[in-house]
Amino acid sequence: VTTLGIIGGGQLGRMLALAAAPLGIECVAVEPAEKAPAAIAADVIRATYGDRGALEHLARRCDVVTVELEHVPVDALGWLAERVPVRPSPNVVAIAQDRLLEKQALRAAGIPTAAWAEALEAFPEGTVVKRRFGGYDGRGQVMVPPGGTVAAVLDGDCISEAVVPFERELSIVAARDLDGAVVTYPVVENRHADGILRATRAPAPRLDSRTQAQADGFARRLMSAWDYVGVIAVELFQLVDGSLLANEVAPRVHNSGHWTIEGTDTSQFEQHVRAVCSLPLGSAEPWGVAAMVNLIGAIPDAAAVLAVPGAHLHLYGKEPWPGRKVGHVTVVAAEETELDERLQCLKLC
Ligand code: ATP
Ligand code: MG
């Protein structure tokens, strides 16, 4: 059997391990938290992500190792990569965990972004100051209005970015295998509140072929520049004129791709497992339309959710507390009107 090591045992590790099981692939996850969501489908080694004993165990036991989060010590990944294939490669994880390297990589690949500066600089349209390391779900960033002071709004190494007057937020999930074959999912629309993803519509309403092609090109250029293996997500801003800017890149499965479990031929989780385990990629064709709603801070009544036609409940086995993602609901439908009706019944968003 193939054994897949996963650095991280949260909900992404859980859904990766659930997708690996029917392929006959066993998973081992490293996770310091006491109740690891991945534990229902993976052996969990309870240790910090850089723990040498845990890494030695992974190196001995696994055929390949992947990550479910980018905030992993890169030296630990480098040590592992000398002993077992690590996909995507530690270099790429190093870029994605540092907003400065990430912006430089996007520029090098010719992918447009918001104006940005390595120093603390105020932009006329307003400024977002972001910590270089460790930010997620909008934590580690501060929005400063035009004319405001950007100095000392955050401690540590930061970059500054111009506030983008976007029309909407989109993202694209794509996968690349060891031979360089690529599949891309339809571009989706994401709605955030308080820096946290609330809901995804897939495909994005009013998606035209130009937008899909532009997003597709961003993902393909990055993956080929990085000789990437696995699933990647690129978060996008769409401007009023329809053009796209890249916001950030996740070298892993992504929250805006959860709808692919019920909404497409091959979920992003199975796709990632296939890619990193040297198996052929599957079709990313959508069945119809879908919406994914995150469950944040509270767990709804399961019976009420499941009474809605086309609704699928995913709980992560996490204790709810304010602001914490504890699950998601995906609703699928044949077309937009039916999807809207079903979402109204769901009363979650
Ligand atoms: P996540 O982990 O949820 O993706 P994050 O903490 O890594 O979030 P970003 O994706 O950079 O941070 O920003 C979170 C959200 O803040 C964005 O989805 C967007 O809504 C808003 N935002 C970030 N940068 C800008 C910007 N330059 N202009 C306008 N809005 C922005
Ligand atoms: Mg983001």
Side-chain angles (χ1 to χ4, degrees):
V1 296
T2 299
T3 305
L4 170 62
I6 307 172
I7 308 288
Q11 63 263 22
L12 301 181
R14 176 183 178 108
M15 290 183 274
L16 282 169
L18 284 170
L23 307 184
I25 296 167
E26 289 176 3
C27 293
V28 186
V30 177
E31 174 57 51
E34 189 184 349
K35 270 188 75 190
I40 58 156
D43 280 351
V44 176
I45 305 170
R46 192 167 169 209
T48 56
Y49 305 131
D51 181 88
R52 189 47 63 91
L55 298 176
E56 270 167 12
H57 183 102
L58 280 191
R60 235 179 307 120
R61 189 157 157 212
C62 298
D63 301 288
V64 55
V65 174
T66 191
V67 295
E68 62 121 49
L69 75 175
E70 55 271 41
H71 305 302
V72 174
V74 173
D75 51 346
L77 289 182
W79 185 91
L80 257 183
E82 287 168 11
R83 289 156 180 86
V84 56
V86 175
R87 297 173 186 147
S89 79
N91 306 341
V92 171
V93 177
I95 294 169
Q97 68 180 221
D98 179 348
R99 291 195 193 271
L100 176 60
L101 295 184
E102 183 180 52
K103 284 284 192 293
Q104 289 169 338
L106 288 166
R107 178 177 285 165
I111 297 169
T113 64
W116 60 274
E118 189 175 343
L120 287 176
E121 193 177 296
F123 291 89
E125 54 275 62
T127 309
V128 193
V129 178
K130 296 183 178 180
R131 281 211 184 90
R132 275 178 64 180
F133 300 95
Y136 70 100
D137 285 349
R139 288 174 233 197
Q141 57 176 278
V142 174
M143 187 94 67
V144 180
T149 310
V150 299
V153 295
L154 282 173
D155 51 16
D157 290 336
C158 292
I159 64 164
S160 9
E161 248 178 65
V163 171
V164 176
F166 56 76
E167 175 78 11
R168 58 178 179 166
E169 294 193 76
L170 304 173
S171 61
I172 186 162
V173 170
R176 187 171 180 273
D177 73 10
L178 280 157
D179 301 325
V182 169
V183 297
T184 60
Y185 289 90
V187 168
V188 301
E189 179 177 324
N190 300 315
R191 199 163 47 74
H192 293 80
D194 306 321
I196 305 184
L197 179 66
R198 300 289 151 162
T200 295
R201 284 286 283 235
R206 309 174 306 282
L207 178 65
D208 56 23
S209 55
R210 196 185 66 137
T211 305
Q212 179 71 34
Q214 202 189 353
D216 221 88
F218 289 2
R220 282 174 194 273
R221 260 182 275 163
L222 277 179
M223 290 195 293
S224 111
W226 290 342
D227 197 18
Y228 193 86
V229 179
V231 162
I232 200 169
V234 186
E235 297 177 11
L236 306 159
F237 297 134
Q238 185 168 44
L239 306 180
V240 189
D241 69 3
S243 64
L244 302 179
L245 300 178
N247 173 33
E248 55 167 359
V249 182
R252 53 169 170 81
V253 288
H254 193 260
N255 197 168
S256 71
H258 290 0
W259 69 279
T260 61
I261 297 175
E262 290 89 10
T264 65
D265 273 352
T266 314
S267 79
Q268 64 164 350
F269 301 100
E270 178 174 341
Q271 204 72 275
H272 186 73
V273 171
R274 289 187 188 211
V276 302
C277 294
S278 323
L279 295 166
L281 298 180
S283 153
E285 275 304 304
W287 297 118
V289 292
M292 187 281 317
V293 182
N294 272 335
L295 302 174
I296 297 169
I299 293 171
D301 178 50
V305 170
L306 298 177
V308 175
H312 300 268
L313 178 61
H314 295 259
L315 296 177
Y316 305 151
K318 290 161 75 172
E319 251 5 281
W321 65 61
R324 190 177 205 209
K325 288 178 189 167
V326 291
H328 72 267
V329 175
T330 296
V331 182
V332 293
E335 35 72 37
E336 302 267 349
T337 320
E338 186 180 47
L339 182 60
D340 284 328
E341 282 165 13
R342 292 178 172 188
L343 284 170
Q344 293 226 306
C345 297
L346 191 65
K347 295 191 195 78
L348 277 175
C349 59

